Amino acid sequence: MSNLLWRLILIATAGVFPIFFFIKENPFDTASFLSLEEKEVVAWQRARMQINPGRTKHLETFELMQKNSEPLKKVNSRIVIGFPPVEKKLLTIGIASVQHPQGSYLLTTLQSLFFASSSSERKHFIVLVHLADPDPKWLSQMISNISTLFKPYIQARQLVVINTPLKSYLSLKDLKKNFNDIPAYVAFPSKQNMDYAFLMNFATNHSDYFLMIEDDVKCAPGFVTQIATTVSAWENKHWVTLEFSQLGFIGKLFHARDLPRFVHFLLLFHQEMPGDCLLSHFHDLLMQEPRIHFFPSLFQHIDNYSSFEGKFNSLEDKEFKENDIGSPSNPAASIYTNLNVPHDSVLINAYSLDRNFFYAKSAEAGSHLTVVLDIPAEVFRVQVLTGSDLKGKNWLKEGHVELGFDCTNRINDCDDYILLGLLVNGSLNKQSLGRYELIQGVPRVF
């Protein structure tokens, strides 16, 4: 059979697709926590600031305290995947990720970032991921998954993953309690603030702007162009952050030059409140008032459970506009095939939503291309396209598509399959699938 070109599109309600890098070693040698007396002065000035709108002296006081504080032990955040970009970029997209009680959405988030961006847009940003959970098994598994699924972006220096050893963190014992909080509730946001700080410290010198998102979001198509256009319009105006989502720390854009100050701020007050609340006080320091939101939102939260206790917590940005039902939204998945694949053909291109394609030298009876969803999703439409843009060129002459479910103790296979349909003129477009297809899916093309 002639060379075969593939594109497989899986559309699911619960998924979206999948930042960053830097020097091999990044010793974090900056100001440590202030003394108790110094902190009391800052707290007093903060309270005074809320009553007195005159704030010009507050930043001077903060910077003076930074200079006079004791040095912090070195923090060696290390690159575990990827390499720094050769040239400075427009944008660094930062994600700090830990284990979630109900499962990780990090791979889905990364797919959303890359698949919602064109190849020309991807030239202008890098993604920096801070794997911040101390569990070595989780860390090893995530490194393996990211290395396999995002190899093209890693090779293009568009994705860098770092890790900071737990010994580099400040102690989470005997933390200050607010409103009689239990110790675990105080420790979670305190560590999270340090996760953010180490991520931002690593990102400081590699782009003009830094975009903070969470590890459980989906992105609007073309979000990079929309952010670049907004930045251009605000080039001559004063701003500390521009906000492209209403939720928490999602979609917050910083000048990279402001990151060192905010890193200090997060570390100095890591016990006081969550990072998104500290950001409001940081706005006061740099005299931005009020917050600057843009609509519609470019990012949507997709995890329905709290990161802290795993309780149901369906946060949703009402200003995020969903794609039309005709727009595919491939969730994170692993791809398998027994086809004869040339060395320059990238398997994930059969599943990505950009204009790249996957091809194989030949196909025989029993050949398959299998997509296994990382997280269960309700599939309501499956579309498979084969062939080139030239009409009838390199179509798959015969084949069918199956949908699998009940994947018990199997990595790339399921216990049962249903036939979705036969390929007609090299393609299939199946809609209105039943509820029994709520799966950890395995669509297969034969």
Side-chain angles (χ1 to χ4, degrees):
M1 185 178 291
S2 60
N3 283 5
L4 182 63
L5 279 71
W6 298 77
R7 290 196 71 190
L8 173 62
I9 300 178
L10 173 65
I11 305 177
T13 58
V16 258
F17 359 94
I19 107 198
F20 237 55
F21 54 76
F22 304 79
I23 42 187
K24 266 280 186 201
E25 294 241 335
N26 185 19
F28 182 81
D29 190 8
T30 183
S32 178
F33 290 82
L34 301 177
S35 67
L36 179 60
E37 293 177 344
E38 290 171 325
K39 283 188 176 181
E40 289 174 349
V41 171
V42 172
W44 174 80
Q45 288 213 1
R46 184 197 299 160
R48 183 168 176 250
M49 176 182 63
Q50 293 172 353
I51 300 173
N52 183 357
R55 299 194 274 276
T56 55
K57 293 294 183 181
H58 194 61
L59 179 58
E60 296 176 9
T61 302
F62 173 65
E63 291 178 336
L64 180 62
M65 288 183 173
Q66 284 181 271
K67 293 178 182 179
N68 294 335
S69 59
E70 298 177 1
L72 177 65
K73 61 184 178 181
K74 290 185 177 181
V75 174
N76 292 319
S77 298
R78 59 189 180 94
I79 292 178
V80 293
I81 299 176
F83 303 93
V86 176
E87 298 178 351
K88 193 172 186 179
K89 302 290 185 178
L90 171 70
L91 181 65
T92 294
I93 304 173
I95 303 174
S97 184
V98 296
Q99 290 189 76
H100 292 249
Q102 303 298 326
S104 173
Y105 286 87
L106 175 60
L107 301 179
T108 299
T109 298
L110 289 175
Q111 280 197 331
S112 181
L113 283 168
F114 288 118
F115 290 0
S117 308
S118 67
S119 57
S120 59
E121 287 175 321
R122 290 196 292 268
K123 294 178 182 178
H124 299 288
F125 72 82
I126 55 174
V127 176
L128 178 64
V129 178
H130 182 201
L131 296 179
D133 199 285
D135 182 352
K137 291 183 179 179
W138 179 86
L139 177 63
S140 177
Q141 185 62 55
M142 292 306 302
I143 291 174
S144 175
N145 290 343
I146 293 172
S147 298
T148 300
L149 292 174
F150 302 99
K151 185 177 180 180
Y153 307 110
I154 295 168
Q155 292 177 334
R157 296 183 178 232
Q158 295 168 348
L159 173 61
V160 173
V161 180
I162 65 170
N163 171 254
T164 304
L166 188 59
K167 64 182 180 181
S168 299
Y169 283 74
L170 298 162
S171 175
L172 295 174
K173 296 180 179 180
D174 301 321
L175 295 174
K176 176 182 176 181
K177 294 183 180 180
N178 297 304
F179 308 109
N180 297 317
D181 289 330
I182 62 174
Y185 188 82
V186 176
F188 180 82
S190 297
K191 180 185 179 297
Q192 189 176 59
N193 285 337
M194 288 186 275
D195 296 341
Y196 294 152
F198 300 151
L199 169 71
M200 293 178 176
N201 175 69
F202 207 79
T204 298
N205 297 315
H206 297 276
S207 61
D208 296 321
Y209 301 97
F210 176 85
L211 177 70
M212 186 71 200
I213 65 172
E214 300 288 358
D215 63 352
D216 50 3
V217 303
K218 59 182 175 181
C219 314
F223 73 92
V224 175
T225 295
Q226 295 184 62
I227 290 174
T229 301
T230 302
V231 166
S232 178
W234 281 71
E235 184 176 5
N236 297 319
K237 301 178 181 179
H238 172 70
W239 57 272
V240 179
T241 63
L242 302 180
E243 304 191 16
F244 297 93
S245 171
Q246 299 185 95
L247 302 180
F249 229 150
I250 299 172
K252 305 304 184 278
L253 184 75
F254 296 77
H255 292 282
R257 64 173 181 263
D258 288 334
L259 291 181
R261 282 175 174 171
F262 191 52
V263 167
H264 283 290
F265 197 73
L266 285 172
L267 293 177
L268 289 171
F269 302 107
H270 75 296
Q271 302 184 55
E272 303 296 328
M273 60 189 70
D276 55 329
C277 297
L278 285 174
L279 181 59
S280 295
H281 293 289
F282 188 68
H283 286 162
D284 288 329
L285 275 178
L286 300 189
M287 302 188 68
Q288 173 183 307
E289 184 181 21
R291 301 176 77 164
I292 305 169
H293 291 281
F294 295 91
F295 304 102
S297 297
L298 300 182
F299 306 94
Q300 178 64 286
H301 184 253
I302 58 175
D303 190 356
N304 289 327
Y305 293 88
S306 166
S307 298
F308 171 53
E309 293 180 320
K311 294 181 178 179
F312 185 80
N313 183 20
S314 183
L315 288 176
E316 187 174 282
D317 192 329
K318 303 299 184 182
E319 295 297 330
F320 182 85
K321 304 301 182 184
E322 291 286 354
N323 292 338
D324 182 81
I325 191 171
S327 300
S329 53
N330 291 9
S334 300
I335 319 297
Y336 303 91
T337 187
N338 61 354
L339 291 164
N340 185 4
V341 182
H343 72 278
D344 60 344
S345 182
V346 181
L347 185 56
I348 196 173
N349 286 342
Y351 189 65
S352 67
L353 297 176
D354 55 27
R355 295 186 62 84
N356 293 319
F357 60 86
F358 164 76
Y359 74 95
K361 289 183 177 180
S362 62
E364 301 173 352
S367 298
H368 72 88
L369 188 149
T370 301
V371 177
V372 182
L373 302 188
D374 293 339
I375 298 173
E378 182 181 358
V379 180
F380 62 86
R381 180 179 179 186
V382 173
Q383 186 177 23
V384 178
L385 307 176
T386 71
S388 65
D389 291 336
L390 300 175
K391 186 174 181 180
K393 184 72 172 179
N394 293 321
W395 276 349
L396 182 60
K397 300 296 190 296
E398 297 181 35
H400 66 269
V401 181
E402 298 177 347
L403 191 63
F405 52 98
D406 292 336
C407 306
T408 306
N409 299 320
R410 295 173 184 248
I411 297 176
N412 60 353
D413 200 2
C414 282
D415 297 336
D416 294 293
Y417 288 88
I418 59 171
L419 177 67
L420 289 187
L422 303 178
L423 296 181
V424 178
N425 295 330
S427 65
L428 174 139
N429 190 355
K430 182 74 172 181
Q431 302 186 57
S432 300
L433 306 182
R435 290 289 298 180
Y436 56 85
E437 291 156 8
L438 190 65
I439 58 165
Q440 182 149 355
V442 181
R444 303 201 297 185
V445 180
F446 286 88

